[in-house]
Amino acid sequence: MERKIKWKKILYEDQGVPDNFVDDTFLEELKKNLNTRTYHFWPVVVESGVVTQQVSSICLFVVMFRYMQLDWLSPQWLFAGTLSLAVTGYILNELVDRQNNKTTGRTRWDDVKTVFIFVAFGYGLSPVFMTLTDTISTDTIYAMTAFMLLSNLLFHDYGADAALVSQSLSLNAAMFASVCLASRLTTTVHAFATITFAVEMFALWPMLRRKLKKNVVHSQAAMTAVLGVSAAVAIYTLSGVSALLFVIVHLFITFVCPAWLIKLQDYKE
Amino acid sequence: MTSHQEMKADVLKIFLPVQCLHERSGLLVGLEHRKQTTVCVTALVKTSTYKDKGSIDKWLSCKTSAEHRITVVGVWENVISKQKTNGYMLHKPQLPLERWFCLRKTRDIPQCVLHGAWPTAMTTEDVVIILYDARMLFESYYLMGRAMDVQVQSGVAIKPLTDITLVAYSLLIYNKLAKSTCHFDIPVADFVHKYKWHRSRFLDGAHSQLIHVLLWMISVISWVSSSRLLQNRVVQVLTGTPAVTSQIATTFTDITKVLQSPRQSHPIQRLKCADVLWGHFLDVCLGLLLMLLLLHGDTTDRLSAAMMTWADNVVFELQRLLHWMMGVPAGLKLNTQLDQFLCKFFLYHIYLWTGYLHLLRPVMSRTLWYISVSGCLGLSLQLCLMQDLLSMMTLHIYCFYVYAARLYHLQMLALSSLWRLFRGKKWNVLRKRVDSASYDVDQLFLGTLLFTILLFLLPTTALYYAVFVVLRLVVLALQGTLCKLVTVIHSLPVYRLGLQLLCPAAITDTVKMEVLRSSQEVERGTPHCLCISMKFVPASLTSLFNEKWNGVDSAATYTWSSFCSSLLRGQLVYPWIKPERRWQTSS
């Protein structure tokens, strides 16, 4: 028998069908994937730079430590480099702020105070760092450092809004690792240089990177390229295999992972 | 009246003193508790007739209070008594009362006949005769104490009483009557009156002068101790810390409590007071014994020499321990610099300590002599003095412990708050929970540096702390043993134990019921009432100790878990210095 009346999704009227009857129109109103974002390949490649930049920073830091340990780099030179980079970064920061007419609420005096805290405590405590882990074996220290740097990588704020992200935890882990490494070096100046470099690499540099990425066009790709290349070169001077591994990981993160993401996007539907 | 009859009046309980069984016939005098259908016979008037009713009534009505009144409740007939019995009693006795009963002893157990207006359905078979020993009941501190606690309102007890309390209460009322009416010439077979509470009157009579002097002294001491100088916080801490002063304060408080207690107070209160006084007496006896032992020959000299040798040995062993810790003890990863620093610090402290010991050496023997002489004031005082002497001898261990504990505690506090900073959290004081917080870069930098340093220095501090905590615990165990001994001496219920051995009736606590059967079977078919004998059971030794020690244990300042947790957190532990016990007077 052909139904004349259109079937309605209600139970309070007798429509001549059993209660558990399901019509073809039953799922018509179902909505799926309302908030889906469609990703495109190249933007994702550029965005993946935030991860590779952090990986490159960590690698650079470890390489600088290794240089100092091998006496290829004197701590004075490292400190000079750190200082010049910091000044450059500070000027860049100011320029970006000036360009956007944005004031951060920090006065020059605040900046001077922060610098003073970094330098004074870093320098004052470096004799303590020197002897802190004398009796602990080097392997233990390296294992702790690796663990802490990995947690830095894991908890770093890449711009994702997740519960796992903790800016302070990642910075603290990196500082802990830098103290561990500093205690393996021979003089107090070495320890001081390591600490300052770590502060620049893990505290100041990510802040500047975030600002540049937001405000300067194409800066993201440039920074990724510069950091990646310099890290690769630095590692190559120590070990070719490591450099190759680093490049492979880099390429994997930059190109394979985005392609993978784009491909997997079809499964959302 | 009718309402009483309609109540559940199923059984009439008659409490009869067992002494009555050997008396001649007469009138039973006692207290009737209508509400609980219980009659407590308290005395027997040895009169053969009721003709001198006037004088008996006059005697009974002397007690003119609103409480229960002693009345004539029935007749006692002793048939097998060899005495010449009056004809009136043997044939149909009649009392001009509303209701009464006749107890007739024909063979060995009495039988009951009810007369007058008892509840309608009640027959002889509904009567239970309970024989109790009036003398033993009257002697018992606990039972009479319970009877004294009974609160009466317009002739009725506020709370329903247990039977045994009811009997004790009746006896109490009767005793009041008998005391106030000694001048009446009534031939009473009184089962309790001649047994006074002579044991509990330890404060009466000739001692009153001495007590006045003592009370005056106590008031003087209280006045002095309540002065501003002694109420000062510093002075209170100074006097409260040594075991001796707190011991003296406790003794003082005990004795004050005893002397200031009202004389005609509660029997249980008297019992407690007697316990305290006898406890102190035993204390002094033991102290004298120890004093004699110590003063015999040159015991004190040898003892002091042994103690000084022991102290020197301790110093030597401590130095060895510190030198061992300066190396790599047990393969621990210590921070060399901090380890060296701490070790030198403690070694210097030991050096100071040896100087102190040299000062102590000449006076040691003398001190021991004084301690032994203080036995006149009791063993507990001697023990407390020894405890203090031990504290003095091991002052260096205590100092080490305090330094190490403070350092460790501080480090643990800093580490716990820096660990929160490390994770980007902070402790919210207002909400008492951990909240997430945003820190500046320089704060994080500084916090992490300090956290790293403290974390790597923790094993060194913790090792020193652990070693000195163990030393401290050894000393504490010794002191604790002495302290526990003092507590045991103080809480020993000496008087009660003596009563338990010499006169168990005085500390009767509970009763046991036993059904009495006639040796010659009562003829079948004739109605007879149930006869029960009430036996008193003295309080057992364990119950005495439990009663005394329940209060002692509740005063403990630490539980095991809290003790361990404060050890772990590095807080200072003083297990038995109770803050509330510091020099309290006359409160």
Side-chain angles (χ1 to χ4, degrees), chain A residues 114 117-118 121 125 128-129 131-133 135-136 144 166 168-169 171-173 175-176 179 195 199 203 207, chain B residues 332-337 421-424 437 439 441-442 444-446 448-453 455-457:
Chain A
T114 307
I117 285 175
F118 285 148
F121 279 96
L125 290 175
V128 182
F129 300 141
T131 57
L132 198 58
T133 59
T135 45
I136 300 175
M144 273 164 90
S166 167
S168 40
L169 179 56
L171 174 58
N172 286 328
M175 290 312 299
F176 192 95
V179 171
I195 298 289
V199 169
M207 284 157 71
Chain B
L332 289 171
K333 316 277 192 205
L334 302 183
N335 184 277
T336 325
Q337 281 73 17
L421 179 132
F422 192 85
R423 291 176 304 150
Y439 292 100
V441 173
D442 46 350
L444 291 176
F445 169 75
L446 201 56
T448 312
L449 288 193
L450 289 179
F451 176 78
T452 318
I453 293 172
L455 188 68
F456 281 116
L457 293 185

Side-chain angles (χ1 to χ4, degrees), chain B residues 1 62 122 131 210 270 281 332 435 449 478 502 552:
Chain B
M1 193 64 230
C62 267
M122 194 173 273
L131 295 172
L210 177 70
R270 285 159 181 254
F281 179 68
L332 289 171
D435 280 348
L449 288 193
L478 273 175
L502 300 174
V552 175

Side-chain angles (χ1 to χ4, degrees), chain B residues 103-154:
Chain B
L103 293 179
R104 183 195 300 260
K105 183 182 167 191
T106 49
R107 293 191 188 92
D108 44 3
I109 58 172
Q111 286 301 313
C112 178
V113 183
L114 298 176
H115 296 275
W118 293 101
T120 43
M122 194 173 273
T123 62
T124 304
E125 283 172 324
D126 296 324
V127 176
V128 180
I129 298 175
I130 301 161
L131 295 172
Y132 71 97
D133 193 329
R135 197 186 308 167
M136 282 180 80
L137 176 62
F138 200 65
E139 277 178 357
S140 165
Y141 282 98
Y142 289 111
L143 298 177
M144 292 316 279
R146 255 181 252 163
M148 274 189 149
D149 287 336
V150 173
Q151 292 170 321
V152 177
Q153 203 176 38
S154 63

Side-chain angles (χ1 to χ4, degrees), chain B residues 293-586:
Chain B
L293 209 68
L294 283 178
L295 291 186
H296 180 72
D298 56 346
T299 318
T300 51
D301 288 337
R302 278 188 288 138
L303 206 61
S304 74
M307 280 176 87
M308 291 318 287
T309 323
W310 173 76
D312 286 339
N313 277 338
V314 167
V315 166
F316 179 68
E317 289 298 324
L318 272 179
Q319 275 171 341
R320 260 189 47 188
L321 180 73
L322 282 173
H323 280 294
W324 174 70
M325 276 160 73
M326 203 150 44
V328 186
L332 289 171
K333 316 277 192 205
L334 302 183
N335 184 277
T336 325
Q337 281 73 17
L338 184 67
D339 194 25
Q340 295 271 341
F341 168 74
L342 285 177
C343 203
K344 293 237 170 78
F345 175 73
F346 284 122
L347 278 178
Y348 180 67
H349 211 282
I350 287 181
Y351 169 72
L352 284 184
W353 175 249
T354 28
Y356 174 65
L357 276 187
H358 279 298
L359 279 181
L360 212 60
R361 199 177 296 270
V363 295
M364 194 66 200
S365 165
R366 209 82 205 131
T367 315
L368 272 180
W369 191 81
Y370 283 125
I371 287 180
S372 54
V373 166
S374 75
C376 306
L377 294 173
L379 180 66
S380 55
L381 197 75
Q382 270 177 324
L383 289 179
C384 284
L385 275 172
M386 281 184 199
Q387 201 181 324
D388 284 339
L389 189 72
L390 188 67
S391 303
M392 294 287 284
M393 298 277 291
T394 56
L395 193 66
H396 53 328
I397 290 179
Y398 177 68
C399 286
F400 289 171
Y401 163 70
V402 170
Y403 301 147
R406 288 270 183 244
L407 198 63
Y408 176 77
H409 183 58
L410 212 66
Q411 197 162 354
M412 287 305 272
L413 268 185
L415 268 179
S416 64
S417 67
L418 286 175
W419 170 241
R420 284 194 286 272
L421 179 132
F422 192 85
R423 291 176 304 150
K425 305 274 169 75
K426 72 168 180 192
W427 176 253
N428 189 331
V429 185
L430 294 179
R431 296 191 174 176
K432 295 190 169 57
R433 62 172 194 200
V434 175
D435 280 348
S436 58
S438 63
Y439 292 100
D440 288 341
V441 173
D442 46 350
Q443 285 172 326
L444 291 176
F445 169 75
L446 201 56
T448 312
L449 288 193
L450 289 179
F451 176 78
T452 318
I453 293 172
L454 288 180
L455 188 68
F456 281 116
L457 293 185
L458 185 66
T460 317
T461 331
L463 174 75
Y464 275 85
Y465 177 66
V467 167
F468 290 128
V469 150
V470 168
L471 285 179
R472 171 76 179 150
L473 284 183
V474 170
V475 175
L476 276 186
L478 273 175
Q479 285 194 331
T481 316
L482 287 176
C483 185
K484 198 78 195 167
L485 218 57
V486 171
T487 322
V488 167
I489 289 174
H490 261 268
S491 61
L492 209 60
V494 183
Y495 186 63
R496 272 176 240 203
L497 287 179
L499 285 182
Q500 163 87 22
L501 291 177
L502 300 174
C503 172
I507 49 166
T508 298
D509 201 7
T510 50
V511 291
K512 196 169 71 180
M513 297 293 186
E514 242 173 51
V515 175
L516 285 183
R517 290 185 193 287
S518 176
S519 55
Q520 296 150 321
E521 272 298 317
V522 178
E523 301 93 70
R524 304 271 172 207
T526 47
H528 61 280
C529 53
L530 182 63
C531 197
I532 290 175
S533 160
M534 191 157 80
K535 294 265 165 29
F536 292 97
V537 183
S540 63
L541 280 177
T542 46
S543 73
L544 282 184
F545 280 110
N546 285 343
E547 187 186 339
K548 197 76 188 183
W549 273 329
N550 279 343
V552 175
D553 283 341
S554 66
T557 44
Y558 279 95
T559 60
W560 277 108
S561 57
S562 74
F563 186 74
C564 289
S565 78
S566 43
L567 273 189
L568 275 183
R569 276 180 292 152
Q571 284 165 339
L572 297 183
V573 285
Y574 303 96
W576 42 80
I577 293 180
K578 302 179 190 84
E580 72 271 18
R581 237 184 61 177
R582 286 180 184 166
W583 199 246
Q584 275 186 350
T585 47
S586 66

